[in-house]
Amino acid sequence: MINLNNYPQRELNGATPTKLRSMAVGVPAKADVVVAGAGINGLFYAIRLKSVNPSASIVVLERSDSPTYKVGESTLNTFMQFVSKNVLSPQYLLRLFTLKEGLDFVLLDRNGIDIEYHDAGGLTHTVQLERQMSELLLTLKAQRLGIKVFYGVTVDGNFSDFLGAGKKIFYSNSFHEPANITNPERSRFSLNLRERPINLRFTKTAFTEKLKSLMSPKRSMGSIDEKLQQNIQNPLITSKFVVDASGLRKIISSKHSVVQRFEGTNINAYWCYMTEDFNVPINSVRNWDYAATNHICFAEGWSWWIRMLSWRHTPIPNKIDMINYLLDLYEAEVPADQLPCTAELAAQFGCTFEPITSVGFAIRDETDNDVDFPVDSALQEKQYGPDERRFWAIANKYKILRDVINSPRYSVIPKSYDSKSYWVFKKISFFQKEACGNGWLALGNAAVFTSPIFSPGINFIGLPMSIFAANLTGMLLNGELTEKDVETKFTAFVQNMAPVARLHDLLFYFGYRNLMFFRWMLTTYMATAASTFNKMASDLPEMKDVPLTPFMMPEFAKFASGLVPLMQGSSRDVPSAAEVAKVIEFCKATLADLKDLLAKVPFGMLSRHYNNDFTFNPNKLQRLEGCVDIWRCAACHNANFGPYKMHECVRCGHAKKADNVEE
């Protein structure tokens, strides 16, 4: 088990040594709150809870040996607001991650020739994440706050009691030697290898067979007789409250509820990672080099193009030292313009990084077949597996998309993460009917996931849910709420949000059916969402600092529920002129209703193609003066944020000169 709560300090090139974190090496016997899962939502929750209740004892148990590969690299302003307030400033984050400024959309018509452009940005920036690196950063920050995070510890969902007054959580060690740790200086880790306890799921003794036979269906859902628990050999931690942040494992929520797939359109995703050569221009799509998440959309779905910084070849101990060095400098309030650039940091700590691009397709599941995406003879001749074959069948259907992805600019990285070159995730839209109970709740993918559009897993669902849950837990520990109060409030929060999140996705998938659908839908969507920027959801204490997303807005729910039925239809069917007219009429009426709210929104600064009054302007190709400026480094092509007044590239240290590309 990698125990990051206690590691030796190290001197590096005369730099400030990382601080020694002296905490208990072993998992404690009790805690106020136990979080199952050290993914991004579990760590968001733990960090937030510690900020609202500093005296709370929080233990996070993660079955993986270290932060693992996950897709979902694009973030929005909600993420940056939380991280910059609770972890690191944006200028510091840009040493570890890639700058992102907004979203760019390109919708192709059914012939793949005509294009409808849309974009949103111009005010601030966020970052594109490598999830392993982001979760390692959050882990180390959490431990500095006094949160104990243990990797290589598996919570036993079969025999833990999540329902009693004193929650009894059994766990076992799941440590094995991580393949990617090759640094010989292993002394920098504190490895706590317990004697492996008996795990009832893998033993065949008469006692365990008898125990299993005694467990009724009700008891197998997390409630076991105390007498039986006393005979279980696994180590135990007791707590007042338990949080299921185990992702798709759903170790608690799956015992109390069933997965409900959304009826109708569901989503399948295929993706890989590529190198990108900026010296090769993309001329078929405007503004392709801009530092946004790019999306090429089509009737069956859409693609994402996310430029990110990968540290996958760097041993974990080196990354730990580098992150702690940045955290030390941040705590010492060292100005950002005095920080070393990414290349200097990497050299100082023996780290390796490279810019890569995440490229994927999220398509309607009913189109995931050889009819909608035929496999041509060239694909058939290649020794592709089914997932790789489908990826390229989607990529090659439309000419503009085909020209971009097959240009010399892009090359697939073989075995980029987890020894895989291509990934697939099918029927990813679901929710748990019950996301909480008496003394427990579920976060993120353990509760609900709709689709990757606008990264709702992190930004529109996971983060607001984690902050809200932490606020409720803090009030529970302070005696302001009962467990029943927490259950009632959290249930209402999730049940109100999930259906609107589903409508949000259908807006886009049905909007892709027609260029005018897309133009009017996305413009009206932006208008309804515009008033949420930098606002919180309500003045209620449990909603403190919860970012207001479209999923919580009555105006957005009204708009989405009214427009989705007007656009609904098969991706194969061409909407009639009458259907298009109804969509335009509805959107115009919605915009008219929002006129007063939008009077002060500078939409012409947020969009290249629209005026301040949200009207489309075919002759407008740039955002209005006053929007942020982005400049690309002439040496390494990294995107830098103009308002920070940095005179050197944050990635390579190359001085900003006249030959740098101004975006």
Side-chain angles (χ1 to χ4, degrees):
M1 177 175 68
I2 298 175
N3 177 8
L4 302 180
N5 298 283
N6 185 4
Y7 55 87
Q9 63 185 22
R10 180 190 183 204
E11 297 282 346
L12 283 165
N13 300 332
T16 304
T18 55
K19 297 178 181 178
L20 180 62
R21 304 292 162 190
S22 299
M23 300 181 183
V25 173
V27 178
K30 63 180 181 179
D32 290 326
V33 177
V34 170
V35 181
I40 200 164
N41 290 309
L43 293 168
F44 279 157
Y45 167 87
I47 291 171
R48 173 62 183 182
L49 177 57
K50 197 67 175 177
S51 71
V52 299
N53 195 324
S55 63
S57 58
I58 307 168
V59 172
V60 182
L61 304 178
E62 168 58 48
R63 71 167 180 165
S64 301
D65 303 331
S66 61
T68 59
Y69 164 77
K70 297 182 182 73
V71 73
E73 299 101 349
S74 187
T75 67
L76 298 176
N77 290 343
T78 52
F79 172 89
M80 185 59 80
Q81 290 168 4
F82 179 86
V83 174
S84 60
K85 179 180 179 180
N86 296 281
V87 185
L88 277 179
S89 72
Q91 296 96 318
Y92 273 72
L93 288 171
L94 289 175
R95 267 64 182 184
L96 302 175
F97 307 107
T98 300
L99 180 142
K100 171 195 171 182
E101 203 289 292
L103 301 161
D104 278 9
F105 293 93
V106 174
L107 178 65
L108 309 179
D109 73 348
R110 292 173 182 274
N111 297 317
I113 299 174
D114 291 337
I115 293 178
E116 177 72 22
Y117 287 95
H118 221 307
D119 68 295
L123 291 181
T124 184
H125 78 84
T126 60
V127 291
Q128 312 282 36
L129 301 178
E130 182 187 51
R131 290 287 293 275
Q132 289 171 306
M133 195 64 163
S134 65
E135 289 172 12
L136 187 57
L137 168 63
L138 292 173
T139 293
L140 295 171
K141 178 62 179 181
Q143 289 162 346
R144 288 178 176 237
L145 297 174
I147 300 163
K148 297 181 179 179
V149 185
F150 295 89
Y151 285 83
V153 180
T154 299
V155 172
D156 194 327
N158 291 327
F159 297 103
S160 296
D161 179 4
F162 305 116
L163 304 180
K167 313 296 182 289
K168 296 181 175 65
I169 298 120
F170 291 94
Y171 60 90
S172 61
N173 295 322
S174 53
F175 176 83
H176 56 83
E177 194 72 11
N180 62 337
I181 296 180
T182 58
N183 193 299
E185 298 185 50
R186 294 301 306 279
S187 62
R188 284 186 288 156
F189 268 114
S190 174
L191 298 179
N192 180 20
L193 303 181
R194 293 178 183 269
E195 181 180 352
R196 182 174 289 278
I198 296 174
N199 189 320
L200 296 179
R201 289 173 293 181
F202 302 106
T203 55
K204 296 286 186 179
T205 66
F207 167 74
T208 57
E209 292 302 318
K210 178 64 174 176
L211 177 60
K212 292 178 182 179
S213 69
L214 290 174
M215 292 178 64
S216 66
K218 181 177 180 180
R219 287 174 177 169
S220 68
M221 291 167 61
S223 179
I224 308 175
D225 286 348
E226 183 176 353
K227 185 176 181 180
L228 296 179
Q229 287 177 329
Q230 292 173 353
N231 290 309
I232 296 176
Q233 301 299 309
N234 288 24
L236 168 70
I237 178 173
T238 60
S239 71
K240 300 175 183 177
F241 199 78
V242 187
V243 173
D244 184 355
S246 61
L248 298 177
R249 289 178 63 216
K250 310 182 198 67
I251 61 172
I252 302 177
S253 60
S254 62
K255 308 295 181 183
H256 297 268
S257 181
V258 295
V259 170
Q260 177 70 50
R261 300 290 176 185
F262 288 105
E263 295 182 3
T265 299
N266 213 296
I267 311 302
N268 294 350
Y270 297 85
W271 69 95
C272 69
Y273 294 89
M274 298 188 176
T275 59
E276 183 173 5
D277 183 357
F278 277 87
N279 293 311
V280 178
I282 297 295
N283 298 318
S284 54
V285 181
R286 293 199 301 257
N287 303 304
W288 189 255
D289 288 354
Y290 192 72
T293 295
N294 290 322
H295 303 85
I296 298 179
C297 312
F298 40 89
E300 299 88 354
W302 64 292
S303 64
W304 72 77
W305 307 70
I306 300 172
R307 299 176 180 113
M308 51 187 279
L309 208 58
S310 173
W311 301 85
R312 68 189 188 282
H313 295 308
T314 297
I316 292 176
N318 301 61
K319 289 189 281 193
I320 289 174
D321 288 338
M322 181 175 65
I323 292 172
N324 273 307
Y325 177 68
L326 281 177
L327 289 170
D328 287 342
L329 295 181
Y330 184 64
E331 290 176 2
E333 299 182 351
V334 174
D337 59 2
Q338 296 181 24
L339 295 177
C341 67
T342 301
E344 292 169 334
L345 279 171
Q348 183 177 356
F349 290 90
C351 298
T352 301
F353 69 89
E354 65 175 316
I356 66 174
T357 301
S358 172
V359 180
F361 302 102
I363 61 172
R364 294 169 62 155
D365 65 329
E366 70 267 23
T367 70
D368 194 350
N369 56 67
D370 291 341
V371 175
D372 289 278
F373 296 105
V375 178
D376 60 24
S377 58
L379 280 179
Q380 291 175 346
E381 292 175 1
K382 295 184 178 181
Q383 299 299 312
Y384 284 166
D387 300 338
E388 187 176 5
R389 187 179 296 112
R390 180 68 71 223
F391 177 95
W392 286 106
I394 300 169
N396 289 326
K397 180 170 182 177
Y398 296 97
K399 182 182 185 304
I400 290 177
L401 180 57
R402 182 169 63 247
D403 290 346
V404 172
I405 202 168
N406 288 295
S407 75
R409 181 170 181 140
Y410 293 102
S411 298
V412 175
I413 301 173
K415 299 182 178 180
S416 53
Y417 291 95
D418 293 346
S419 298
K420 295 180 65 174
S421 301
Y422 294 85
W423 285 261
V424 60
F425 193 3
K426 294 192 174 184
K427 293 190 179 296
I428 57 181
S429 298
F430 71 89
F431 68 98
Q432 293 286 146
K433 287 189 174 181
E434 296 180 23
C436 63
N438 191 24
W440 69 273
L441 57 81
L443 297 176
N445 292 356
V448 61
F449 190 81
T450 54
S451 92
I453 286 187
F454 275 163
S455 308
I458 297 175
N459 301 285
F460 281 1
I461 295 178
L463 181 57
M465 184 186 296
S466 297
I467 296 175
F468 181 66
N471 290 346
L472 291 176
T473 309
M475 297 173 73
L476 172 69
L477 296 177
N478 290 334
E480 301 171 58
L481 296 176
T482 66
E483 287 188 351
K484 187 62 177 177
D485 293 333
V486 172
E487 180 180 357
T488 300
K489 291 177 179 292
F490 193 75
T491 296
F493 184 86
V494 175
Q495 290 184 351
N496 289 335
M497 181 172 59
V500 183
R502 170 65 171 170
L503 285 172
H504 170 274
D505 296 329
L506 294 180
L507 276 176
F508 282 81
Y509 280 94
F510 294 149
Y512 297 150
R513 297 177 61 225
N514 178 272
L515 296 183
M516 289 299 99
F517 277 9
F518 185 73
R519 175 187 295 181
W520 284 94
M521 176 277 296
L522 196 50
T523 302
T524 314
Y525 170 95
M526 295 295 182
T528 59
S531 62
T532 71
F533 296 148
N534 299 318
K535 292 184 178 180
M536 295 298 118
S538 85
D539 295 330
L540 295 173
E542 62 266 30
M543 297 298 289
K544 181 177 174 58
D545 294 332
V546 175
L548 180 61
T549 72
F551 301 167
M552 304 174 195
M553 296 177 58
E555 298 89 350
F556 180 82
K558 179 182 177 182
F559 155 66
S561 60
L563 185 56
V564 163
L566 298 179
M567 298 191 302
Q568 187 170 359
S570 169
S571 62
R572 302 186 185 103
D573 297 335
V574 178
S576 67
E579 290 175 309
V580 173
K582 288 182 180 179
V583 167
I584 295 175
E585 180 183 3
F586 178 87
C587 290
K588 284 183 175 180
T590 302
L591 289 171
D593 291 341
L594 296 171
K595 183 177 180 180
D596 292 340
L597 293 175
L598 300 175
K600 296 182 180 181
V601 177
F603 197 63
M605 288 173 51
L606 308 180
S607 173
R608 299 185 187 95
H609 313 290
Y610 285 78
N611 300 320
N612 279 339
D613 61 358
F614 287 80
T615 56
F616 177 71
N617 184 345
N619 298 317
K620 181 174 179 286
L621 301 179
Q622 297 297 329
R623 294 165 183 163
L624 295 180
E625 185 177 352
C627 69
V628 299
D629 64 298
I630 305 294
W631 59 275
R632 281 202 179 274
C633 176
C636 72
H637 301 289
N638 180 57
N640 294 271
F641 196 60
Y644 290 152
K645 307 299 181 184
M646 304 295 289
H647 301 294
E648 297 177 344
C649 173
V650 296
R651 181 172 296 173
C652 73
H654 184 73
K656 181 180 179 181
K657 299 178 181 178
D659 60 351
N660 286 47
V661 178
E662 298 287 346
E663 295 192 349

